[in-house]
Amino acid sequence: MTGSRAARWEVLVLVVQVAQGFEFHRAETEARQCMGDHRPTWKVYRMTNLGCLRQGLVLWPIDYKCYTLHGRGHPCMENQRLVYSDSPCPEAKCLGYTSSSGLPCTGGQVSNHGACVDPEDREQCGGELGRRLVPDMHGSYSCRCSRELGYSEWEGKCYVQYSQGPCKEGEQLEPGLGNPVCQMNPCDVGYFSAGDGFCYFVDTWVDFPGSEQLSQQERTDRTELIKALLGEQAATFCTFCNEHCAKKTREGECINTTLLPEVSPAGEEELLQTLALAFGLNSEEKLFVMGNTDFPFP
């Protein structure tokens, strides 16, 4: 999972907010002992972690390499996933899932309400548009609006991120820091802003890496959103494998392409919030994770 600069910036703003609050001081006291006992030193562990976080990955404390959070396979066993421990000094660990009867879940299944289920099965969340089984940083799954598929939750309903959604005319629903917010859309009709200096054509709502995970109903719903903006002629979609159209001619010819903006996956803010309590990033380290400076350590 590689985070975009915009996603890293969102995370670091939250890091600063948390580090300045009461929760930081409480966790600082709780974590003091495990920091002192850590081998190699906590400073080495923290600095190595920063390098992984910059890539949107997590540090495995055994081989000191970076791996994908919630990933299966190495360094874990086949039916385990890589998660973060729930402790004052969080470290990556391997988690296996079992049913309420104690039977191990196999084949990539996870536990949900006591049963072993496929986390990609849309029906586990009642088939509701945009809702999927989503893990928190500790590996516990629950039904939430899938940010990986570009949804944000507002008053119990999933809306397509960067669409108008429940916002006023001329506004768009943005992910925000933990909770979505309505912000003015500075782009022309048929485009949305992802906060990275580009205006993206709305066809990326149905044509993006991972869009094959959308249900037919979700795809239809997004197509209707596009038609409402552009009319029935809405859509000579770009067919690039890894790139998407940022600007088109009236005839549908793509004249400016860019990568689709990456969505910060659910739990990333929670992950960095918890890690910030232990790591206490300084200004240089924040810039490093954002990708704005070289490695700031001797």
Side-chain angles (χ1 to χ4, degrees):
M1 177 182 69
T2 303
S4 66
R5 178 166 298 185
R8 288 195 296 269
W9 172 252
E10 287 185 357
V11 166
L12 288 166
V13 169
L14 186 62
V15 165
V16 173
Q17 292 172 340
V18 173
Q20 291 174 340
F22 166 77
E23 190 175 2
F24 174 78
H25 299 290
R26 182 181 64 184
E28 184 180 37
T29 301
E30 295 175 349
R32 192 179 304 276
Q33 181 174 352
C34 64
M35 287 182 184
D37 295 340
H38 202 279
R39 295 294 180 272
T41 66
W42 186 254
K43 179 180 179 181
V44 171
Y45 175 68
R46 185 184 70 161
M47 287 171 17
T48 310
N49 244 312
L50 292 179
C52 293
L53 293 175
R54 189 184 192 185
Q55 304 172 61
L57 303 173
V58 295
L59 177 69
W60 179 239
I62 305 301
D63 62 8
Y64 264 53
K65 293 182 180 179
C66 306
Y67 296 93
T68 302
L69 186 65
H70 305 126
R72 293 175 59 202
H74 187 76
C76 299
M77 298 179 67
E78 181 179 356
N79 290 313
Q80 295 178 326
R81 293 177 185 265
L82 190 65
V83 302
Y84 258 98
S85 63
D86 187 5
S87 65
C89 293
E91 287 187 327
K93 71 171 189 176
C94 294
L95 176 66
Y97 294 87
T98 59
S99 67
S100 57
S101 60
L103 295 175
C105 299
T106 60
Q109 291 184 325
V110 300
S111 55
N112 183 47
H113 297 301
C116 292
V117 300
D118 179 358
E120 297 183 6
D121 180 6
R122 295 188 293 268
E123 296 308 314
Q124 293 298 322
C125 297
E128 182 181 342
L129 290 182
R131 203 169 289 277
R132 298 288 193 278
L133 278 177
V134 177
D136 63 17
M137 63 179 288
H138 305 304
S140 178
Y141 282 78
S142 61
C143 287
R144 302 187 229 169
C145 296
S146 173
R147 293 190 66 175
E148 184 178 1
L149 295 179
Y151 286 99
S152 287
E153 183 160 349
W154 184 285
E155 296 184 351
K157 183 178 179 181
C158 300
Y159 292 93
V160 177
Q161 289 178 352
Y162 303 113
S163 69
Q164 180 179 335
C167 303
K168 298 177 182 178
E169 188 74 25
E171 293 183 338
Q172 61 180 29
L173 186 66
E174 299 184 3
L177 294 175
N179 295 309
V181 293
C182 291
Q183 299 283 8
M184 183 188 72
N185 182 359
C187 302
D188 293 336
V189 174
Y191 294 83
F192 65 89
S193 169
D196 58 0
F198 286 101
C199 286
Y200 293 88
F201 195 59
V202 292
D203 67 2
T204 57
W205 291 343
V206 293
D207 182 21
F208 60 92
S211 61
E212 68 279 357
Q213 299 179 46
L214 294 172
S215 68
Q216 185 57 51
Q217 185 180 4
E218 288 167 341
R219 185 172 291 275
T220 298
D221 177 69
R222 291 176 177 228
T223 300
E224 292 302 317
L225 283 177
I226 296 173
K227 287 182 179 179
L229 286 171
L230 304 179
E232 291 295 329
Q233 76 277 11
T236 305
F237 295 144
C238 289
T239 55
F240 301 100
C241 295
N242 296 308
E243 292 183 304
H244 296 269
C245 201
K247 191 171 183 62
K248 292 183 178 181
T249 64
R250 291 183 178 179
E251 293 73 29
E253 179 184 357
C254 193
I255 57 177
N256 187 13
T257 63
T258 186
L259 292 177
L260 180 70
E262 296 179 34
V263 174
S264 177
E268 185 171 277
E269 292 92 345
E270 178 189 8
L271 168 63
L272 267 294
Q273 182 181 40
T274 301
L275 295 181
L277 305 181
F279 297 153
L281 306 184
N282 62 36
S283 58
E284 285 187 321
E285 291 164 345
K286 294 167 193 171
L287 291 172
F288 171 71
V289 177
M290 287 169 56
N292 289 345
T293 186
D294 293 330
F295 200 70
F297 315 108

